[in-house]
Structure formats: structure tokens, C-alpha cells
């Protein structure tokens, strides 16, 4: 398994290009199952999770053509043509679903277009139990018959799904995506109340509209979808990744550097910008994206609570905690989305961080210096947070088990090294 070695203490300076959003791409790709025509997605990031989704779609019968390569510096990232002219198989097997929870997003489209789907239950993961009961209840309300057997969700519908009023008891990003896709081909109107409002949902809704779907209320908590008989092909560019943007903004801040993040937009991450500004970092818009400047400031402790969008994202909690370990004063971080998302805490403590966890809250008391150590990455965002801590720490940090990182960050060590970081990947033998 690969490891990442960092010798910390260099303020980052330069520019970093931000790619297309992983979480948007992972919901846009299964949308191709809703039509027999070609869906072309540009600004696609080059990530392991994208390959896993491509493999899953291929075994449903989707043919794909990939053009461009962002690793060669193409400004538009990669472009993927997906064509589900015929769906040859409606089973999403355990071996693929267990690798990536977003696989559950084939359920709604398969059911809506083909009347049946058999999808392995995703199960829990390092950050929590993560049930999918809201997805299943919504599809049942739309007329699907759903049974669970041998770890699989078996879903059927006679004819088309029927429009329904879905009220989610709690905001669910995946649940909103599955229901929205299913509703585009349902008979009649579907209303999704308490819908998630994340930029990735807006991206999905806009892509579906480009494919001929009728959706109102995009970007609000209530989506109204008038089902149509068929969708058609479209071309769509994936929104910039707000979590990658936020992660590199923290890289600039934690090293007290000055970095321009290009190809991204401030408005996608207002809550993160607010927290960084409160802690003393200056963020300004530039022609190419935004500039994060922390070379002449004192970072001060700031309280954070994760919430559904537009609140502070759970996917940025670990990175902000890394920054807060180096701040003046104390911060309180509260995680409200997942029950077990502090796996990075003991690893940061091995680097000298002072953190106390009480239930869903963590008190972080800033220290003058972190010190390099051997640490273990446990999930995607924990992995990047340990790299961020390593960039600030004195001496050498070795982040082990970095395969999670490649699921969500493209060429991370190259992007950081180009801004002066002393970072390298050590290839493992397995
Ligand atoms: C969540 C995050 C998303 C993030 C992703 C990966 C939120 C609201 N969602 O999306 O921003 O990118 O993780 O880290 O911040 N739940 C149920 N039953 C369900 C579905 C969800 O109880 O059927 C609960 C979950 O356990 C969780 C909450 O609802 O506590 C939100 O889950 P959901 O938004 O669906 O999770 P993801 O789509 O994975």
C-alpha cells in the first residue's frame, strides 16, 4: 500500500487547479441510465471512485468513451460519453457496492427506466452506520415493491413509477438524488420536501433538465418534478469540487502561505469561507478562482458545527480540525451528520494535537507546533486532514494506508509539491 511522506514547515505559495466535484460526478454518471441516448460529462475528475462507478455502469450495459486527461494539464478535465442504449443487467453486485456507497445511486434510475433493480445493501463504513431507509421508503411511496433478501435490495414496479409527495424526515443527499432521478420518468408530479440543497444536487437537477426533465425549485428545499415519458442525451460540465477547494484552502492556511485556487468558485463554499475568515485567513475572488492568504495573520480558534448545505459540510470537518490544532486558543467542533467521524483525532494527537472528544463534540486547544509522526489514514477526509497536519508539523510525517485518498483527491502530492511542499508518495508493494 502506498504511503505519503511529508517534511512539514514550508509555507505554500503558488497556484492549484481544482477539478470537477467527485460527489457531483458520482450522481451525474448514473443519470445516464435514464435514457437510451448519450450523456456527455466534461470536467470529470480522475479518481478511483469514478473508475469504480464506470465499472458498475459497464456491467449494467453502459458503453463509455473517455477523452482528454486532466493529468496532462487539459483545462477541461476529462470528458466521458456514457450510453445506456440497452440495459443488459439490473444487478449491482456486493463486490462493487462495498467499494463505494454511491453505487446505491443506480437504484432509482434502473427502477424508473427498466422497472426493476437488484442492488446490494451498502452497509456501514468507517464514519457511521449510514442507512438507506429513506431512499427505499421514497421509492415505495412511488409505487415500487421492495424486498430485502440476502443483503440485496430487490425493487420492482409494474409499468411506470407514480408521482408522490415525499417528505424526508432528515436531509439526505443520496436519498434526494435517487428520488429526483426516479421522479423524472414517473407518471405525474413528485414533490420532494426537505430536499438536500447541496451544489451537487443542483448540478444533478440542471443536468436532468438538459436531458429533458421538468424540475422546479432547483436549489431550494422543495423540488417539484413533472415526470416525462423519456429523457434524451445531453452535454454537461461537472461543477468544481468545493471540498477539494476547501481542503487546499486549509493547506494554504495551515502553512501560513498564500495560494490561488483556480477553476473554482467562492459561492460554492460560503460557510467554509466564513469559518476561515473568522479564524483570520483572507480569501478573495480572483479572475481564475480565489486566493487564500494566511502569511501575515494569526490563526485563532473558531467554533464549527457540521450541518446540511448551506451549513458547514461534514466533508470539511477533519480538515478544519487540523487547522484548529495550530490556532491560538480553543475551538469547539460539533459533528451532527455522522456518529463516528472523529477517527482522525487519535492520529492527530500522535502528532502533538490537544483534542478532547465528548460525544459528538471535540474541544481542540491549539498548540504552537505539531510534530511529525507515523499516522494511519482511516477514511477519505481523515486522510487529507493528516496530510494537512503533516504540512504544518515540524519534521517528518508518514501517512500510511493512503488508498482512501485516491478515491477523492487527484494528484494531491503533485499539486502540493508545485506550491513548495516537501511531499512524496512512496509506492507500496501490494
Ligand atoms: C453525506 C453528506 C454529504 C457528504 C457525504 C459523504 C449531508 C447531509 N450529507 O451524504 O454532504 O458528501 O455524506 O461524506 O451532509 N440517513 C438515514 N437514512 C437514509 C439516508 C440517510 O438515516 O436513508 C441519515 C444518515 O445516517 C446521516 C444523514 O441522514 O446521518 C445524512 O445522510 P445522507 O445525506 O443521505 O448521506 P450521504 O448521501 O452519504
Amino acid at each position: 500500500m502506498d504511503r505519503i511522506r511529508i517534511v512539514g514547515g514550508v509555507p505554500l505559495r503558488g497556484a492549484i487547479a481544482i477539478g470537477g466535484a467527485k460527489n457531483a460526478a458520482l450522481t451525474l454518471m448514473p443519470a445516464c441510465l435514464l435514457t437510451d441516448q448519450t450523456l456527455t460529462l466534461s470536467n470529470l475528475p480522475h479518481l478511483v471512485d469514478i473508475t469504480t462507478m464506470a465499472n458498475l455502469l459497464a456491467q449494467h450495459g453502459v458503453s463509455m468513451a473517455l477523452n482528454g486527461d486532466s493529468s496532462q494539464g487539459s483545462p477541461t478535465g476529462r470528458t466521458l460519453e456514457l450510453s445506456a442504449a440497452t440495459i443488459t443487467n439490473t444487478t449491482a453486485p456486493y463486490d462493487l457496492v462495498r467499494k463505494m456507497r454511491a453505487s446505491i445511486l443506480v437504484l432509482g434510475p434502473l427502477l424508473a427506466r427498466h422497472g426493476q433493480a437488484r442492488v446490494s445493501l451498502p452497509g456501514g463504513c468507517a464514519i457511521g452506520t449510514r442507512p438507506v431507509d429513506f431512499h427505499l421508503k421514497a421509492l415505495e411511496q412511488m409505487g415500487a415493491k421492495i424486498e430485502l433478501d440476502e443483503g440485496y435490495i430487490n425493487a420492482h414496479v409494474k409499468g411506470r413509477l407514480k408521482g408522490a409527495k415525499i417528505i424526508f424526515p432528515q436531509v439526505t443527499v443520496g436519498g434526494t438524488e435517487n428520488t429526483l432521478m426516479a421522479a423524472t420518468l414517473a407518471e405525474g408530479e413528485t414533490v420532494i420536501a426537505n430536499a438536500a440543497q447541496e451544489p451537487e444536487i443542483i448540478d444533478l437537477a440542471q443536468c436532468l433538465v438538459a436531458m429533458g426533465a421538468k424540475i422546479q425549485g432547483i436549489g431550494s428545499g422543495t423540488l417539484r418534478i413533472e415526470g416525462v415519458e423519456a429523457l434524451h442525451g445531453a452535454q454537461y460540465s461537472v461543477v468544481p469540487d468545493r471540498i477539494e477547494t476547501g481542503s487546499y484552502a486549509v493547506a494554504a492556511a495551515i502553512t501560513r502561505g498564500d495560494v490561488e485556487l483556480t477553476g473554482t468558485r467562492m459561492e460554492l463554499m460560503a460557510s467554509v469561507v466564513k469559518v476561515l475568515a473568522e479564524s483570520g485567513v483572507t480569501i478573495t475572488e480572483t479572475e481564475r478562482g480565489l486566493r487564500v492568504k494566511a502569511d501575515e495573520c494569526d490563526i485563532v480558534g473558531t467554533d464549527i458545527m457540521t450541518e446540511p448545505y448551506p451549513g458547514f459540510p461534514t466533508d470539511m470537518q477533519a480538515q478544519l480540525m487540523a487547522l484548529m490544532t495550530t490556532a491560538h486558543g480553543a475551538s469547539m467542533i460539533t459533528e451532527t451528520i455522522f456518529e463516528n467521524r472523529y477517527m482522525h483525532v487519535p492520529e492527530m494527537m500522535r502528532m502533538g494535537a490537544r483534542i478532547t472528544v465528548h460525544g459528538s463534540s471535540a474541544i481542540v486547544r491549539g498548540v504552537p507546533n505539531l510534530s511529525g509522526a507515523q499516522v494511519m489514514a482511516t477514511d477519505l477526509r481523515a486522510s487529507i486532514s493528516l496530510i494537512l497536519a503533516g504540512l504544518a508539523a515540524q519534521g517528518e510525517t508518514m501517512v500510511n494506508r493512503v488508498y482512501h485518498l485516491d478515491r477523492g483527491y487527484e494528484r494531491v502530492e503533485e499539486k502540493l509539491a508545485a506550491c513548495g511542499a516537501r511531499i512524496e508518495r512512496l509506492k507500496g508493494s501490494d
Side-chain angles (χ1 to χ4, degrees), residues 232-249:
H232 51 71
Q235 297 200 352
Y236 196 80
S237 175
V238 180
V239 69
D241 196 316
R242 64 197 168 102
I243 306 300
E244 190 191 19
T245 307
S247 301
Y248 288 121

Side-chain angles (χ1 to χ4, degrees), residues 23 130-135 170-174 315 337-338:
N23 288 342
R130 306 186 76 177
V132 291
D133 52 330
F134 301 157
H135 306 224
Q170 193 178 333
V171 173
T172 159
V173 173
D315 283 349
I337 308 292
F338 292 114

Side-chain angles (χ1 to χ4, degrees), residues 73-93:
S74 155
T76 56
R78 302 188 307 167
T79 297
L80 183 65
E81 291 172 15
L82 304 111
S83 167
T86 343
I87 292 174
T88 52
N89 171 11
T90 52
T91 299

Side-chain angles (χ1 to χ4, degrees), residues 310-365:
F312 189 89
T314 175
D315 283 349
M316 279 299 299
Q317 180 256 106
Q319 298 90 313
L320 254 293
M321 184 181 288
L323 179 62
M324 291 302 128
T325 64
T326 70
H328 285 284
S331 331
M332 184 156 90
I333 299 182
T334 306
E335 171 62 56
T336 72
I337 308 292
F338 292 114
E339 68 265 33
N340 187 24
R341 212 171 189 181
Y342 287 132
M343 308 279 278
H344 42 283
V345 168
E347 303 302 312
M348 287 181 188
M349 289 173 74
R350 301 190 72 247
M351 299 176 73
R354 289 181 62 206
I355 309 169
T356 318
V357 175
H358 296 281
S360 62
S361 293
I363 309 275
V364 184
R365 293 182 177 84

Side-chain angles (χ1 to χ4, degrees), residues 21-265:
K22 169 180 86 78
N23 288 342
L26 289 178
T27 183
L28 291 166
M29 289 170 72
C32 79
L33 294 167
L34 291 163
T35 172
D36 59 4
Q37 298 182 13
T38 302
L39 174 64
T40 304
L41 298 176
S42 55
N43 200 30
L44 200 75
H46 189 174
L47 300 168
V48 171
D49 271 9
I50 300 295
T51 309
T52 306
M53 180 58 86
N55 290 339
L56 177 62
L57 294 173
Q59 64 86 51
H60 290 309
V62 176
S63 57
M64 277 167 266
L66 185 63
N67 303 302
D69 179 355
S70 53
S71 66
Q72 301 301 312
S74 155
T76 56
R78 302 188 307 167
T79 297
L80 183 65
E81 291 172 15
L82 304 111
S83 167
T86 343
I87 292 174
T88 52
N89 171 11
T90 52
T91 299
Y94 176 68
D95 269 355
L96 284 171
V97 177
R98 77 181 165 84
K99 282 192 191 158
M100 188 187 59
R101 293 183 47 85
S103 309
I104 188 74
L105 297 173
V106 299
L107 177 63
L110 284 175
L111 192 58
R113 165 114 176 267
H114 212 264
Q116 66 176 63
R118 180 171 158 81
V119 178
S120 173
L121 274 165
C125 71
I127 61 175
T129 50
R130 306 186 76 177
V132 291
D133 52 330
F134 301 157
H135 306 224
L136 304 188
K137 274 192 198 119
L139 294 170
E140 277 178 336
Q141 274 184 266
M142 297 172 78
K145 295 270 174 288
I146 295 186
E147 287 164 6
L148 301 182
D149 93 281
E150 296 175 341
Y152 277 78
I153 302 160
N154 280 325
H156 298 267
V157 63
K158 277 211 180 102
R160 288 167 69 186
L161 290 166
K162 305 267 179 302
K165 172 140 193 177
I166 315 292
I167 305 174
F168 283 122
Q170 193 178 333
V171 173
T172 159
V173 173
T176 303
E177 290 165 346
N178 241 333
T179 311
L180 175 59
M181 285 190 275
T184 59
L185 292 181
E187 213 177 309
E189 188 189 60
T190 300
V191 179
I192 307 177
N194 202 21
Q197 300 171 41
E198 268 69 0
E200 294 75 32
I201 304 266
I202 298 177
D203 224 30
L204 173 63
Q206 285 172 342
C207 177
L208 293 169
V209 167
M211 294 167 71
K214 293 187 179 160
I215 306 171
Q216 287 182 341
I218 295 175
S220 78
T222 306
L223 294 168
R224 284 176 193 280
I225 307 105
E226 184 64 43
V228 294
E229 280 193 23
L231 295 180
H232 51 71
Q235 297 200 352
Y236 196 80
S237 175
V238 180
V239 69
D241 196 316
R242 64 197 168 102
I243 306 300
E244 190 191 19
T245 307
S247 301
Y248 288 121
V250 172
I254 203 168
T255 61
R256 310 304 187 255
D258 182 352
V259 174
E260 186 182 17
L261 304 175
T262 63
T264 188
R265 301 201 299 271

Side-chain angles (χ1 to χ4, degrees), residues 400-411:
N400 294 291
R401 291 174 73 93
V402 293
Y403 63 91
H404 292 287
L405 196 70
D406 299 326
R407 291 186 35 225
Y409 292 88
E410 186 173 341
R411 297 180 293 118

